[in-house]
Each structure stands twice: as structure tokens, then as C-alpha cells.
Amino acid sequence: MAGRIPEEFINEVRSNVNIVDIISQYVSLEKKGKDYIGLCPFHQEKTPSFTVNEEKQFFKCFGCGKGGNVFKFLMYKDNLTFPESVERVAEFAHIAMPQGYGNNDGSKMNPLMRMHKDAAEFYHRVLLTTKAGERGMQYAQKRQLDQKVLDHFNIGYAPKEDNVLITYLRGKGYQDDELQKSGLFVESKDGRLFDRFRDRLMFPLDNENGRTIGFSGRRISDDKTEAKYMNSPETSIFTKSKVLFHFAEAKKAARSEQHLILYEGYMDVIAAYKAGISSGIASMGTSLTDDQIYLLRRVTTNIIINYDGDPPGIHAEERAARMFNKAGNFNLGIVVLPDNLDPDEYVKKYGAEKYQNEVNGAKTPTEFFLERLAKKYNLNNDREKITYLDEAVKEIAQVRNPVERDMYIEQLARNAQVSSASLKANLARELRRNNRAKSHMRQQSNYSAPTPSTDEMQPSFESAETATIQQTAGQRHPRQVRLLYLFIHSQQAQKYLQEGNFHFPDKDFEELAQLWIKYKETHDNPQIDGFLDFIPEQLQGIIVDAEMANMPKDFTIQEINEYVQSLQKRNIYSRLNELNNQLQDAMRKQDRDECLRLTQKIIELKRVLG
């Protein structure tokens, strides 16, 4: 089951990590009782159903059903094989792979990811060490990108020639059909491939695990007929709407900085990094997407938006803030820099310390919206002032926290020089209107349409959030799960069941019982998390369900007998149903002998039932 890696090493790796620490790199976990919960990284959901049990070192999503140990998590999340996941966990635990094992050459990596890794290293080396890269280095120095920044962001340079990268990658053994799918090249009409990126400073675009999956090339020439930035096209490994620049590194920094900061461009993230902020991220030159918001929410709910200070940047900030508010459950801050400056320009003009102060003084979304609203009206004109106050009250009515609403009403009253009581009366009216609208929406959603006829029925598809949760093994076979749990965790229960010649009715449970016996015979210190790696994948869910059910280990023989008798009765009823069907068939065929034989068997089974 463990491939070529020695099982002793696998056990050592597993015992030297905490599954909570590994999963926390992907999901923001909150402790609830003995478990940790968070938003599932495998499907989108609004209410957390993803659970991690630290004591047993298992995870389970009660929404989509995925579960397992630390190796299984990485296999699901990063699409790894079992040996690859062992190596990844070993790397996290700072344990060297045994001699002759491992995958350090990346040969088993997805070919496109391996190609992008090679391309990123090539571009970086060209920039730092070659004569061809001097032009790129001059531009980097002009933008005040020092060695530390170039190394941290793995920035490189694509030379002017159109065949430099393709020659290099062909030399490393890549075939043209792979190169064609990578997005790194363009194809001429006669089928020849040429480098897509030429004479550009290259920014690798990584997935959330830090693996390069695309590039963004910054034009360094003054030729404005060319796009300032050129991004990789979408490929099988790169979807712009699901990627955030610098996310893999930023989410590590979010643990210490306590937030993520969303910027408009790569140079803003880099400027923030130079100012001592490592939690900066940026979208891929596109508007913020719901997928990116969900990606952020899995890491932290503390988000600060700092787009450019010019009108388009502020408008984009407003749109992003609305999206975060709609998603809900975010602690959002908004930074608006003065003089239409973007973060890169601000840091260069005022320095890192003043920029840090701007971030620390981020406004709440309501503050930001009210300030934006005030600029739309002439507040010296009574008619416009009344309109502004009505709009401001509607904005405040969106705030869920009543204390926060009261605070903004008082501020609005002071600034507008009107009584807070009158504004509160307007607010109460607006809240009632909102509640009526919500109630109407609920009634509409609860309305049951007439059931369509069979001919009208069409296949329907539900999102993971609304789909009916599939029953777990524990829900389908609770008695067998309990007996299997005792069979594994109690030598006394196992011996009692074996002496009674008990066999699990379900073949999967019976196979697990036999595998546990074999596992115990071949392991000095059998542990349930190690057993999970020993058994076939299709059986692992039963073990995870049993372990995550938090069953008591204590039991009585009477409890076991009740479960066994119940299962035996269930088997008898199942057999009786089968015999009755056979009897009906024999009667239809007028087979007297078969009818007599089946009737006798039915009578015998009914006697057993009493």
C-alpha cells in the first residue's frame, strides 16, 4: 500500500506532525470542543462542515464526504500520489527521505507544472547571471527591485529573441505536444512554436501551494503599442479567476500579521513587501471573483483592500467591498491613499513607516461608503443634503451589528448637524422595510410549485452547498460501525466476536475486520492512523466515519449481543424476503417440489425468529 517507501519511515513521518498544523496552511481552523472546524477546501460552502480531530489525527467534511489522515488530505488537495504526500509531509517535518527514495527531481510532477518550474528557474537565472539579462536587470534596478525582492518573488527576464525558452525546454526533453499545451508559446500558421514572452520582466504566478502555473510579463520597452502586462493564457493548470499573486507566501504571513491585504497590481504587492508587509496579494489583472473571495475566506476573515487612490481604483475598491459584504462574515478594512497615489508610489514618496500607518488606519466599509456618498452631493444645498441623509441611512441599515449602526447614526447626526433621534426614526423605518423584503423573499423561496408530470421532468443539478448530503457508512450501517469500532479498539470484544463465529453481514466491514487482524499480526504497535494507509482506498471512509463519530471505548457484552442479534434478525428478514420471492416464482411455474422445499425453509427461519 505504501509503495516503495519503508513503512517504518511512513510511521515516523506521521507521528512527527500534527494534522492541524498541516491543514491550517490551507484552511482557517477554529477550535470547537475537541475538534477544529473550518470551510471545506474541496467544495464551496457557507457554513463550516469541515472537521479535524487532533486527538485521532483525522479530518472529515460532513458536506462532501471526504475524509482521512494527513497523507489523504494532501492527496485530495494537491492531487498527489501516496508516496508524494509522504514526501511532502516529511518535508514539513524536516525529516530527510531515506536514501534512494523520494521525488526530488520532480519527475512525477504534473508535466505542465514541471515545465513552468523549469521556465521560472530559467527566467530568474537569465536575469541574474547572463549578459542577455542585463537589460532586464537595468529595468529592475530602475524600479528599485533589489536582490532580496528578486529572489523572494522569483522574478526573471525573458530575452528579446523568440526561441530562447523553447530551445532550453526542448533541451530538457520536453516534446512539442507538451510545449504546445503550456501557454508559454505561440504557434505560427505553419505550426512552428515561438516564445510567447519576449523582452519582459517575468513574474511567476503560483497556485496556493507555491507551484508556478503561469506568468505575467511586464513590458520594459517604451513601445506603447504593446500591452503593459501580458499574462499566460488559461491552461489545464491555470485559471486566472482562481489565482491570487503571492498567495502561497502571503497566507503564511497572515498568521503573524493577522490579515491579508488585497492590492490591484504586482508592483503594489512588492512595494508592500519592501515596506515590511508580507501578507499582500493581487488578482491576475482581472476584477475580483467569488472564487478568489472563497480562497481568502478559508485562510482568514480579516481582509484589507488597498487599491490605487485614483477614481478607477476607488471605484474598484467599492465593488470589491460590496462583494465581500455580500459573501458575509468578513472583517473588512479599506485603505484610500491620498493624492491619487497607488501603494508603490506612496511608499516611494512617503516611506514604509507612513504606509504602515495608513494600513493600520484602514476604514470600515461603512465609513468608506459614507465618505463616497458625501462626495456625490452638495451638502450646502438642503434638498441634496436631505437626499444624502436618506441614502446614508439606507447604507447604515445594511450593517448587522446594532451597536455599530448606532455609532454611525451618531456620527452622521454630528456631521450633518441634525438630531440623532430623527435619523434613528428613519433608520427604524428602513430596517422594517428591509425585514419585509427579506420575509417576502423567504415566502417566495418556500413556495411549492405544482409537481411536474413525468414527461416534464428534467435532470437537475445542485451546488455542493445545496445538495443533499450523502449518508455516511455510520448512518447506513450504525450497528456494524459500532461493532467494527469495538473489534478494532478492544481485544476483548474482538475475541468474543471471533469465538462466537461472528461475521459482518456487509462484505466491506468483514474485509476490514480481516485486514485488521492481518495488520495486527504484522505490526508491533498497530495504530488506527497507520491502518488507514494499509487498507484499500474504497474502505478508508468506513474507518474515518467510525473514528470521527467519537464513540465510547467502553462497552458491555450485553451491548455486543444486542447488536449481533439485531444484525442476525436483519439477515433472516432479508433471507425470508428472498425466499418469498422465489416461492412466488415457483408457484407461477407450478413447480410443486420447489414450492414445498422453499416453504420448509421459510418455516425454519420463522422458528428461529420465534
Side-chain angles (χ1 to χ4, degrees):
M1 302 294 172
R4 297 184 300 114
I5 304 174
E7 195 165 338
E8 297 79 11
F9 179 79
I10 295 171
N11 293 333
E12 179 189 358
V13 170
R14 189 192 304 106
S15 62
N16 276 279
V17 297
N18 185 338
I19 192 171
V20 174
D21 295 335
I22 298 284
I23 293 180
S24 291
Q25 296 182 63
Y26 300 81
V27 180
S28 178
L29 296 173
E30 180 183 356
K31 191 163 189 182
K32 290 286 182 72
K34 293 194 299 182
D35 294 333
Y36 290 81
I37 66 166
L39 292 168
C40 180
F42 307 120
H43 80 286
Q44 286 203 19
E45 58 182 5
K46 292 181 180 178
T47 304
S49 61
F50 182 83
T51 304
V52 183
N53 186 299
E54 186 174 26
E55 178 188 352
K56 298 181 177 180
Q57 294 291 294
F58 282 128
F59 75 91
K60 173 75 177 182
C61 176
F62 293 95
C64 67
K66 286 184 169 62
N69 61 12
V70 65
F71 300 132
K72 196 68 181 176
F73 177 84
L74 290 175
M75 290 170 71
Y76 281 135
K77 189 69 193 74
D78 295 343
N79 195 27
L80 303 178
T81 63
F82 179 77
E84 287 170 340
S85 70
V86 172
E87 185 177 0
R88 180 77 66 83
V89 178
E91 182 181 336
F92 179 87
H94 305 292
I95 300 174
M97 293 293 288
Q99 190 67 32
Y101 298 94
N103 181 33
N104 294 326
D105 62 354
S107 59
K108 291 185 180 179
M109 191 188 298
N110 179 303
L112 286 190
M113 285 190 175
R114 189 171 71 248
M115 189 188 303
H116 278 77
K117 177 177 180 289
D118 290 337
E121 291 173 354
F122 174 76
Y123 286 139
H124 189 59
R125 192 162 58 248
V126 167
L127 176 67
L128 298 182
T129 65
T130 70
K131 187 171 181 61
E134 289 178 0
R135 176 174 164 80
M137 183 59 78
Q138 288 172 1
Y139 178 81
Q141 291 170 346
K142 178 182 173 183
R143 297 299 300 264
Q144 300 178 18
L145 305 179
D146 58 21
Q147 184 75 39
K148 179 185 175 185
V149 168
L150 295 176
D151 286 341
H152 178 80
F153 291 92
N154 201 25
I155 297 169
Y157 174 68
K160 283 185 173 184
E161 292 76 18
D162 62 10
N163 63 351
V164 178
L165 180 64
I166 196 164
T167 301
Y168 172 74
L169 291 178
R170 279 172 175 159
K172 288 185 73 71
Y174 292 102
Q175 302 301 310
D176 276 15
D177 60 335
E178 294 175 320
L179 298 167
Q180 192 177 34
K181 298 173 185 175
S182 69
L184 295 171
F185 308 99
V186 291
E187 187 174 0
S188 66
K189 290 182 178 178
D190 59 1
R192 289 184 297 165
L193 296 176
F194 299 96
D195 293 1
R196 177 180 296 277
F197 300 99
R198 299 191 289 275
D199 195 27
R200 290 180 178 269
L201 204 65
M202 299 298 290
F203 297 88
L205 306 176
D206 298 344
N207 63 15
E208 65 175 302
N209 308 315
R211 297 191 181 222
T212 301
I213 55 176
F215 288 93
S216 185
R218 197 334 178 155
R219 184 192 74 214
I220 67 175
S221 73
D222 295 326
D223 184 359
K224 294 188 178 179
T225 62
E226 295 184 356
K228 181 186 286 188
Y229 282 96
M230 176 187 286
N231 291 333
S232 291
E234 295 200 349
T235 65
S236 61
I237 63 171
F238 177 57
T239 305
K240 285 193 292 186
S241 64
K242 298 181 179 180
V243 177
L244 290 161
F245 177 68
H246 195 239
F247 183 62
E249 292 298 319
K251 68 181 182 179
K252 299 174 188 174
R255 298 185 197 120
S256 57
E257 297 183 18
Q258 299 298 306
H259 57 231
L260 288 170
I261 305 182
L262 180 62
Y263 293 102
E264 206 167 342
Y266 314 133
M267 293 307 297
D268 297 326
V269 174
I270 292 171
Y273 178 77
K274 289 162 63 179
I277 294 173
S278 299
S279 58
I281 50 175
S283 53
M284 303 288 97
T286 59
S287 297
L288 189 67
T289 66
D290 291 332
D291 285 326
Q292 290 166 337
I293 287 176
Y294 188 75
L295 202 63
L296 297 176
R297 189 164 64 169
R298 284 201 282 106
V299 175
T300 179
T301 55
N302 298 324
I303 304 293
I304 294 175
I305 307 173
N306 183 195
Y307 286 172
D308 295 356
D310 58 9
I314 294 174
H315 180 73
E317 258 181 334
E318 185 174 355
R319 177 184 177 275
R322 297 286 186 198
M323 290 182 69
F324 278 108
N325 282 348
K326 182 180 178 183
N329 300 321
F330 278 98
N331 177 26
L332 199 62
I334 300 175
V335 176
V336 180
L337 297 176
D339 306 325
N340 290 341
L341 296 175
D342 63 34
D344 186 25
E345 294 166 336
Y346 187 94
V347 171
K348 287 174 181 174
K349 185 172 182 178
Y350 295 108
E353 186 177 348
K354 286 202 72 173
Y355 178 69
Q356 289 270 12
N357 292 337
E358 293 282 355
V359 171
N360 294 335
K363 303 176 188 295
T364 67
T366 305
E367 268 186 292
F368 170 72
F369 289 136
L370 291 177
E371 287 184 7
R372 289 273 290 153
L373 194 61
K375 291 176 181 178
K376 295 180 181 179
Y377 297 96
N378 176 8
L379 300 185
N380 292 318
N381 179 293
D382 287 347
R383 183 173 57 82
E384 291 199 33
K385 184 176 181 179
I386 291 170
T387 304
Y388 158 69
L389 290 173
D390 285 343
E391 292 297 317
V393 168
K394 288 178 182 178
E395 191 65 55
I396 294 171
Q398 304 300 316
V399 177
R400 297 177 183 177
N401 187 327
V403 175
E404 194 178 347
R405 286 199 302 259
D406 193 57
M407 182 181 73
Y408 290 126
I409 285 290
E410 294 291 345
Q411 287 178 3
L412 184 62
R414 284 196 303 271
N415 294 338
Q417 296 182 334
V418 297
S419 74
S420 60
S422 62
L423 292 180
K424 286 179 181 178
N426 285 357
L427 175 65
R429 185 172 63 249
E430 189 63 33
L431 289 172
R432 286 195 298 272
R433 184 180 292 125
N434 290 347
N435 287 335
R436 283 197 298 270
K438 290 176 183 176
S439 176
H440 179 70
M441 291 294 292
R442 281 196 295 269
Q443 289 173 4
Q444 289 290 99
S445 64
N446 291 334
Y447 171 73
S448 298
T451 304
S453 66
T454 305
D455 293 338
E456 294 172 319
M457 293 178 66
Q458 297 293 331
S460 62
F461 300 89
E462 297 178 299
S463 67
E465 183 69 30
T466 60
T468 302
I469 298 173
Q470 290 187 338
Q471 282 191 320
T472 64
Q475 292 168 325
R476 293 194 305 272
H477 308 289
R479 296 176 183 82
Q480 291 189 78
V481 169
R482 175 60 174 161
L483 287 177
L484 181 65
Y485 181 86
L486 294 177
F487 190 91
I488 289 174
H489 288 280
S490 168
Q491 181 64 36
Q492 180 190 359
Q494 180 184 325
K495 183 179 179 183
Y496 182 78
L497 288 167
Q498 287 178 308
E499 287 177 348
N501 197 31
F502 171 78
H503 293 280
F504 288 90
D506 187 278
K507 63 181 180 62
D508 288 344
F509 285 81
E510 179 64 16
E511 184 178 357
L512 280 168
Q514 298 306 316
L515 285 170
W516 175 251
I517 293 170
K518 183 178 178 182
Y519 183 74
K520 283 181 63 179
E521 291 172 350
T522 55
H523 292 75
D524 295 332
N525 183 28
Q527 299 293 327
I528 193 67
D529 50 357
F531 180 57
L532 198 73
D533 299 326
F534 181 81
I535 62 179
E537 183 174 354
Q538 64 269 23
L539 301 180
Q540 292 176 4
I542 296 174
I543 296 298
V544 174
D545 287 343
E547 293 301 311
M548 294 295 283
N550 291 318
M551 295 185 188
K553 290 188 177 180
D554 56 313
F555 66 96
T556 63
I557 295 299
Q558 181 183 354
E559 178 192 2
I560 291 180
N561 286 337
E562 287 174 356
Y563 285 136
V564 170
Q565 289 168 10
S566 175
L567 289 171
Q568 287 174 340
K569 282 186 177 181
R570 193 196 73 172
N571 283 345
I572 291 174
Y573 282 122
S574 177
R575 180 61 179 152
L576 279 173
N577 188 56
E578 184 182 325
L579 289 172
N580 278 318
N581 288 336
Q582 291 177 10
L583 179 61
Q584 291 294 324
D585 192 51
M587 291 171 65
R588 181 176 58 81
K589 295 176 181 178
Q590 297 184 346
D591 187 338
R592 284 188 163 187
D593 292 340
E594 182 67 3
C595 285
L596 182 61
R597 187 184 70 81
L598 290 170
T599 301
Q600 288 174 339
K601 282 194 172 186
I602 290 171
I603 292 170
E604 289 171 6
L605 286 176
K606 286 185 174 180
R607 283 175 179 166
V608 173
L609 286 175

